């Protein structure tokens, strides 16, 4: 009895060359694909398959694999395009798988082994018969599809349901109305090279088309495939597993790709973490068995990893306006609010009197600080600075305050006759202290002479000393001075002329 080839240790792939010397040839398959060495060939065209479901005939368990046979007497199920020079007829397809989910494919990609591998065998009809095509270097074309563990594939289940009829070796059952194109992945990118059959006699007559994208099947579906037996019905059961041949030496052959490989990392660079890639890239990477193909991201593809920062509040046009509102108006308004609050606090802490040697006391400094805070932009003073600063080369430092005069004693916080702190509001200008000062003639009305006021029959306020007095509520008259009877009451200057209402008059320096 002649020795039979198989996948056991005594008749496995390492012993095939003893019976079939071509198994040690220079164009043997399968091989290991090193993607970094594979070049894109622009001349490779897309491939297409048009299969007639009615051409499927039977399903067979030959003790080595599970095979589905098709009618190839005429052009019913055809393969075209790709690296092929003409159409090829589909003759059969079969599978190779391992004893577990982590191996079983015959070809490997960068060392990655898949759970199984499907081979669709076609032959070139220009050689009239399948036997003649086996003797030609372009006689056979095989489409290889990797199977990886993932989501269950419903179309593959149609094949698995028929395995119960061919459980043991030698069993054959009808298997019709099946279209193998339902097993193809969505992506048709492929690698191609010249090789051989992966089972004896290992004829070197095949043009391989290995699809880059694998087909997903569930672990339960692979377990169903491993339930087949390599023994006959009346023999002790032997599981049909491990029916794959290891990769063979490539021996200078060129593997071409129909697609452009990903941009490789430069020397010293490593692949970026998966979470840095866009969502679409992450989904493709999780469904791939080649995470090492990920390369460092380009700058425009990177996702910012810093904490989220609120985008700047850009001015947008309001309804009915053609131009957006200037953003500096909001900034000035906010500064005015802060300045107004500080002025109010300064007035609350205001005390009447002056310091030693006639210089303004703490109350004058508070008013001056509030005036600086209220100063508009562009006057050489920065509102947000704790200490006012002068713009470079724009202004000279202000002169020291003048000596104490009768006017400054009568109206604290004013540096000279006719002056009022810049930026002070209307309330400061029409305060009871100012109204009384005008009535007394201490602060001249607009257009009036700064001469000393004429004697008045009204009661004059008591002299103000430098000693501080009790704090008063803002808006109330200082101690010892009567409140103006009405804000509508006209003000009479020293010459007896009516100067208008106290609320409606402003110093001439502010007109």
């Amino acid at each position: 009895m002649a020795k039979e080839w198989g996948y056991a240790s005594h008749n496995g792939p390492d012993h095939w060359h003893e019976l079939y010397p071509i198994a040690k040839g220079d164009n043997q398959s399968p091989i290991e694909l090193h993607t970094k060495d594979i070049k894109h060939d622009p001349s490779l065209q897309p491939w297409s398959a048009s299969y007639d479901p009615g051409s499927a005939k039977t399903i067979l368990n030959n003790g080595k694999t599970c095979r589905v046979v098709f009618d190839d007497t005429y052009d019913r199920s055809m393969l075209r395009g790709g690296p092929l020079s003409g159409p090829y007829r589909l003759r059969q397809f079969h599978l190779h798988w391992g004893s577990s989910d982590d191996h079983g494919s015959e070809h490997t990609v960068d060392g990655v082994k898949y759970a199984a591998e499907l081979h669709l065998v076609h032959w070139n009809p220009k050689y009239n018969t399948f036997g003649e095509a086996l003797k030609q270097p372009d006689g056979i074309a095989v489409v290889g599809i990797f199977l990886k563990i993932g989501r269950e594939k419903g179309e593959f289940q149609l094949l698995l349901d028929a395995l119960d009829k061919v459980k043991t070796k030698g069993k054959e059952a009808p298997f019709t109305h099946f279209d193998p194109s339902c097993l193809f992945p969505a992506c048709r990118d492929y690698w191609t090279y010249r090789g051989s059959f992966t089972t004896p006699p290992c004829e070197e007559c095949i043009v391989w088309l290995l699809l880059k994208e694998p087909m997903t099947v569930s672990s339960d579906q692979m377990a169903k495939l491993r339930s087949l037996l390599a023994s006959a019905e009346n023999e002790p059961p032997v599981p049909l597993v491990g029916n794959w041949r290891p990769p063979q030496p490539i021996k200078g052959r060129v593997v071409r790709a129909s697609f452009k490989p990903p941009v490789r990392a430069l020397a010293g660079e490593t692949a970026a973490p998966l979470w840095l890639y866009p969502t679409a890239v992450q989904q493709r990477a999780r469904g791939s068995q080649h995470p090492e193909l990920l390369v460092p991201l380009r700058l425009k593809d990177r996702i910012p990893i810093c904490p989220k920062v609120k985008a700047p509040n850009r001015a947008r046009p309001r309804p009915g306006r053609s131009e957006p509102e200037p953003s500096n108006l909001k900034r000035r308004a906010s500064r005015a609010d802060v300045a107004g609050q500080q002025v109010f606090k300064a007035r609350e802490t205001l005390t009447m009197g002056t310091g030693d040697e006639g210089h303004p006391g703490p109350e004058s400094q508070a008013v001056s600080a509030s005036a600086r805070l209220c100063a508009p932009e562009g006057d050489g003073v920065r509102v947000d600075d704790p200490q006012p600063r002068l713009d470079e080369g724009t202004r000279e430092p202000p002169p020291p305050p003048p000596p104490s005069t009768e006017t400054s004693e009568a109206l604290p916080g004013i540096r000279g006759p006719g002056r009022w702190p810049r930026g002070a509001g209307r309330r400061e200008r029409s305060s009871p202290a100012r109204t009384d000062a005008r009535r007394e003639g201490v602060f001249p009305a607009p257009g009036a002479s700064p001469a000393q006021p004429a004697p008045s029959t009204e009661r004059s306020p008591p002299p103000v000393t430098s000693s501080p007095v009790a704090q008063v509520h803002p808006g109330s008259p200082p101690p010892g001075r009567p409140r103006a009877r009405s804000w509508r009451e006209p003000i009479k200057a020293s010459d007896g002329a009516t100067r208008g209402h106290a609320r409606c008059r402003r110093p001439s320096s502010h007109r």
Side-chain angles (χ1 to χ4, degrees), residues 340-361:
Q341 295 177 5
Q342 296 188 10
V343 169
F344 182 79
K345 293 181 181 179
R347 290 188 58 196
E348 286 186 341
T349 59
L350 183 64
T351 56
M352 307 301 295
T354 57
D356 298 338
E357 300 180 359
H359 293 286

Side-chain angles (χ1 to χ4, degrees), residues 4 7 19 25 38 42 88 102 108 152 175 184 293 319-320 348-349 395 414 422 429 441 448 450 470 493:
E4 184 181 6
Y7 292 95
L19 299 177
I38 300 177
Y88 284 66
D102 58 352
T108 59
E152 178 179 330
F175 187 74
F184 293 158
L293 296 182
E348 286 186 341
T349 59
R395 292 174 182 261
I414 300 178
R422 187 202 307 173
R429 301 191 189 107

